[in-house]
Amino acid sequence: MKTIKFLSIAALALVGAMMTGCSSDDDIVNNPQQPVNSNNIVTVKTTISIDNSGDDSGDNDGNTTRALTPHYSGTKLVKTFRAGDQVAVIYTNTNDQTVKATSEELTSRDITNDGKSANFTVTLDNPKAGTVEYVYPAPMANDDGTEASILSQDGTKATLERNFDYAKGSGTMTQAGSTFTLPSVSLTNRFAICTFYIKDIDNVSTLNDVFSQLTISDGTNTYTIAPSGGGNFGNDMIYVAMKPVTAALKATITNGTHTFEKTLTNRTYAANNVYQISMSYPVKCINKSSASIPNNATWLIIGTGEATSNTITIGAGATANLWNVNISAGGSAIACSGNATINLAEGTTNRANGTCGIRIGGSGTTLTINGPGTLYAQSGEYGAAGIGGTDKAAVGNIVINGGEIHATGGYYAAGIGSGHGTGGGYSEPGSCGTITIHGGTIEARGGEGGAGIGAGAGISSYSSITIDGGNVSAYGSISYGAGIGSGGSNTSAGPITISGASTVVNATGATYAAGIGSGDSSPCGNITISGGNITANAGEFGAGIGCGSSASCGNILINGGTIRAWYYDPDDMRNFFADGIGTADGSTCGTITITSAVTEVRTNSAIGGEHVPVGGDYDYCKGTHGTVTVDWDKVIRDWPSE
């Protein structure tokens, strides 16, 4: 075993009022006689040398555990003292109390023999001859001589050197009159030192700087390693002093949001050795390479915040936890091959920009997005949605439970929903399944012809839209697409249901489209609103809630919530091309029912063609609809001044 030796030379006692002592540069030290007093303070100097012998074989690469400013001499790791080092001496005083004395800090003048020896000075208070113990470094000894705890560390080499790289030895201190002589003692290293690398799933990238805590358990002791100033570890190795053990260590890492555990192979961690340990976790740094998550696996995907062209593929049943990911790709930034889950880590901003921001799986599959982090998903390609389908693709369902989400569709595509489809002789539809929003803050913008939430343009459709929570803002683009509902020239679109007392919805249609309902020359299913604070802004020639131009929708039922349904131009009431709630010119909707359960309904245009201003040369909407049943006591007409 490698050791550090303390070599003590008995001092020459000085007798008489004027006596001087002798010393040498190496081993002879001056021990002046102490004056007689009640404390019997004794100052002792001793020379400590480091034993640098030993082999360089084994899996520790020749390293010993001493962390004293190491440097290499050829292939051998040489340990040296440095200024500021201290040693603790544990001794018994004349009251039979165990006492700790800490040496003075070394200065450069105390260090000799190329750093392998040093002269330490220590002051003993009322000492008693007998057994003494040497503890290096000094903080490893408590004031009562017991061993200090090492269960909490910060993982840095500097702290380990200063506080935890433990060596200890004992011997007998002798006394001749008032002169005390410390024994020559060989110190034995007591701990194993482990240096940990946290690696990604491909064992390529070091990810220490992503995590804020490492916990190592050997079955008896649990070591918690965390940066002393908070935050994450740096990219350097994480240094841990451990008691010798033979065990399968359990290593747990966390960043405060995600936690991963790994059990290492059973082995012996011996004192006087350094072990380099690389641990691979299901984590991927997207800035290093693309990530392909296997079926049913869960990976943490991290980014540096800077854009990368690398992409993410999520296997069937797999989960991607996104952490500051920023993708700007030539294909889909994130592509799902089946049912998939995306979790947005708290406090992170993630960006998915590509031909499709996030392409969901095929028909029958579901993408679920959870917060609380932020996501920007944008399509830069013709026909592809921000979140949903690509051009002429049939894709599955979308469920959003939380987070702050901004989705922008490409040309002819929805912000959230389906991509573009073609008609005529091509007959290549674009479709999306159900779209469900339970919570979060959502902003969705359709591309030209596409809805904010719903369908793209052309032969493009969605199965249904359900919003029962969150704060949702949806915008059709320049022309044809509804804020929430169908895009332009669709062949089919499902019902729209909005509920929830705390739900907030702001929907704005493009020209020829409704705020909530159908786009230009497009259908949508029944529209049911039973709660929330709902604002629907019509595009020119479209209704606030209901039909776009030359379009259709099913029945409209409003039996809860606070509703604001605005005609396009409140300052020009001479040309009513659409209702506030109901139809537009050339359009048809089913029955319109507003019950007394509604808190209030505000509109600046007609409801089903009824209750319009009286007098003047008005050109009223010429759409058709079914039966209109309205509790007019709940309707507030916000007409402009005549």
Side-chain angles (χ1 to χ4, degrees):
M1 180 174 289
K2 302 179 181 72
T3 59
I4 299 175
K5 296 179 180 178
F6 279 72
L7 305 179
S8 176
I9 305 301
L12 299 177
L14 302 182
V15 183
M18 299 291 294
M19 299 291 290
T20 58
C22 301
S23 66
S24 74
D25 291 338
D26 296 322
D27 299 321
I28 307 301
V29 292
N30 188 18
N31 238 351
Q33 179 178 347
Q34 300 304 308
V36 178
N37 58 59
S38 60
N39 292 325
N40 193 20
I41 302 296
V42 178
T43 300
V44 183
K45 289 188 177 181
T46 185
T47 299
I48 302 174
S49 299
I50 300 175
D51 182 3
N52 280 290
S53 63
D55 64 67
D56 299 320
S57 61
D59 63 3
N60 64 348
D61 298 324
N63 297 327
T64 62
T65 63
R66 303 309 307 142
L68 297 169
T69 318
H71 66 274
Y72 281 91
S73 175
T75 60
K76 182 178 177 181
L77 188 62
V78 178
K79 302 297 183 178
T80 57
F81 286 114
R82 63 182 175 184
D85 286 342
Q86 292 177 288
V87 67
V89 179
I90 311 302
Y91 65 99
T92 303
N93 65 16
T94 55
N95 293 324
D96 290 327
Q97 297 171 319
T98 301
V99 182
K100 169 188 172 181
T102 302
S103 72
E104 297 177 7
E105 292 185 356
L106 287 181
T107 68
S108 58
R109 289 178 296 180
D110 297 319
I111 300 171
T112 62
N113 195 21
D114 293 328
K116 289 177 282 187
S117 298
N119 297 317
F120 282 87
T121 299
V122 62
T123 298
L124 310 179
D125 187 352
N126 229 22
K128 177 181 177 181
T131 301
V132 295
E133 292 183 335
Y134 297 88
V135 175
Y136 186 89
M140 272 308 304
N142 293 320
D143 289 343
D144 61 359
T146 57
E147 182 178 297
S149 173
I150 62 169
L151 298 183
S152 295
Q153 303 177 38
D154 70 4
T156 65
K157 180 174 177 288
T159 298
L160 186 145
E161 291 174 347
R162 185 169 57 251
N163 295 328
F164 300 120
D165 197 12
Y166 184 27
K168 185 178 180 181
S170 62
T172 301
M173 179 171 61
T174 62
Q175 179 181 4
S178 61
T179 300
F180 289 81
T181 302
L182 292 173
S184 298
V185 175
S186 294
L187 298 188
T188 302
N189 293 316
R190 297 301 183 97
F191 292 158
I193 304 300
C194 294
T195 57
F196 291 93
Y197 291 93
I198 302 173
K199 294 292 190 71
D200 68 7
I201 190 65
D202 296 326
N203 206 29
V204 173
S205 304
T206 302
L207 304 175
N208 293 358
D209 57 343
V210 175
F211 295 96
S212 57
Q213 181 174 295
L214 167 65
T215 302
I216 303 294
S217 177
D218 63 12
T220 301
N221 301 293
T222 298
Y223 306 91
T224 301
I225 318 302
S228 57
N232 298 329
F233 295 107
N235 270 322
D236 295 333
M237 294 181 290
I238 300 173
Y239 289 80
V240 181
M242 291 173 34
K243 295 183 178 182
V245 69
T246 298
L249 301 180
K250 184 171 75 172
T252 304
I253 57 173
T254 183
N255 59 11
T257 301
H258 302 96
T259 299
F260 300 93
E261 291 185 355
K262 188 177 189 68
T263 300
L264 307 180
T265 303
N266 187 75
R267 66 178 298 179
T268 296
Y269 298 90
N272 201 44
N273 285 279
V274 173
Y275 301 89
Q276 293 188 0
I277 301 170
S278 178
M279 304 179 299
S280 178
Y281 287 89
V283 180
K284 186 69 180 175
C285 180
I286 195 64
N287 291 79
K288 297 291 184 180
S289 62
S290 294
S292 182
I293 306 175
N295 293 348
N296 303 313
T298 298
W299 284 14
L300 171 62
I301 310 297
I302 66 168
T304 65
E306 296 190 7
T308 177
S309 60
N310 297 323
T311 60
I312 300 171
T313 301
I314 305 175
T319 297
N321 297 317
L322 302 189
W323 182 277
N324 285 332
V325 169
N326 186 349
I327 299 173
S328 183
S332 295
I334 300 175
C336 307
S337 59
N339 292 331
T341 300
I342 293 175
N343 297 320
L344 307 172
E346 183 175 7
T348 67
T349 298
N350 303 276
R351 300 180 185 275
N353 300 324
T355 54
C356 182
I358 300 177
R359 186 192 189 283
I360 64 179
S363 297
T365 68
T366 299
L367 168 65
T368 301
I369 301 177
N370 302 308
T374 299
L375 170 68
Y376 290 84
Q378 182 169 352
S379 169
E381 183 77 0
Y382 173 94
I387 300 174
T390 53
D391 188 35
K392 299 183 286 293
V395 297
N397 311 311
I398 302 168
V399 176
I400 299 175
N401 292 317
E404 180 183 335
I405 297 172
H406 305 263
T408 303
Y411 202 77
Y412 287 165
I416 298 174
S418 59
H420 173 245
T422 58
Y426 296 101
S427 297
E428 296 176 296
S431 66
C432 175
T434 61
I435 302 170
T436 305
I437 298 175
H438 294 305
T441 300
I442 317 300
E443 180 189 50
R445 297 180 180 273
E448 171 75 12
I453 298 173
I459 304 180
S460 182
S461 65
Y462 64 87
S463 296
S464 67
I465 298 171
T466 300
I467 301 173
D468 57 18
N471 190 325
V472 179
S473 298
Y475 306 89
S477 188
I478 301 170
S479 299
Y480 310 123
I484 298 173
S486 54
S489 303
N490 291 154
T491 56
S492 65
I496 301 169
T497 303
I498 301 174
S499 63
S502 61
T503 301
V504 177
V505 173
N506 289 277
T508 301
T511 303
Y512 305 114
I516 298 174
S518 57
D520 177 60
S521 304
S522 296
C524 82
N526 296 332
I527 300 172
T528 302
I529 300 174
S530 58
N533 191 325
I534 314 301
T535 301
N537 298 297
E540 189 173 9
F541 309 115
I545 298 174
C547 296
S549 178
S550 302
S552 67
C553 72
N555 300 324
I556 300 173
L557 171 62
I558 302 175
N559 61 358
T562 300
I563 314 300
R564 295 167 181 81
W566 305 119
Y567 176 67
Y568 170 74
D569 188 354
D571 295 325
D572 181 7
M573 304 305 293
R574 296 286 170 177
N575 295 294
F576 282 96
F577 294 104
D579 295 331
I581 300 173
T583 65
D585 274 358
S587 297
T588 303
C589 76
T591 62
I592 301 171
T593 304
I594 299 176
T595 73
S596 60
V598 177
T599 301
E600 70 175 32
V601 176
R602 287 180 177 268
T603 181
N604 60 358
S605 186
I607 297 176
E610 298 184 24
H611 230 263
V612 297
V614 178
D617 183 16
Y618 293 99
D619 185 7
Y620 302 131
C621 167
K622 299 181 175 61
T624 59
H625 49 74
T627 302
V628 177
T629 305
V630 177
D631 183 347
W632 294 106
D633 290 337
K634 295 298 180 75
V635 177
I636 299 174
R637 297 181 300 162
D638 280 342
W639 309 122
S641 58
E642 297 267 349

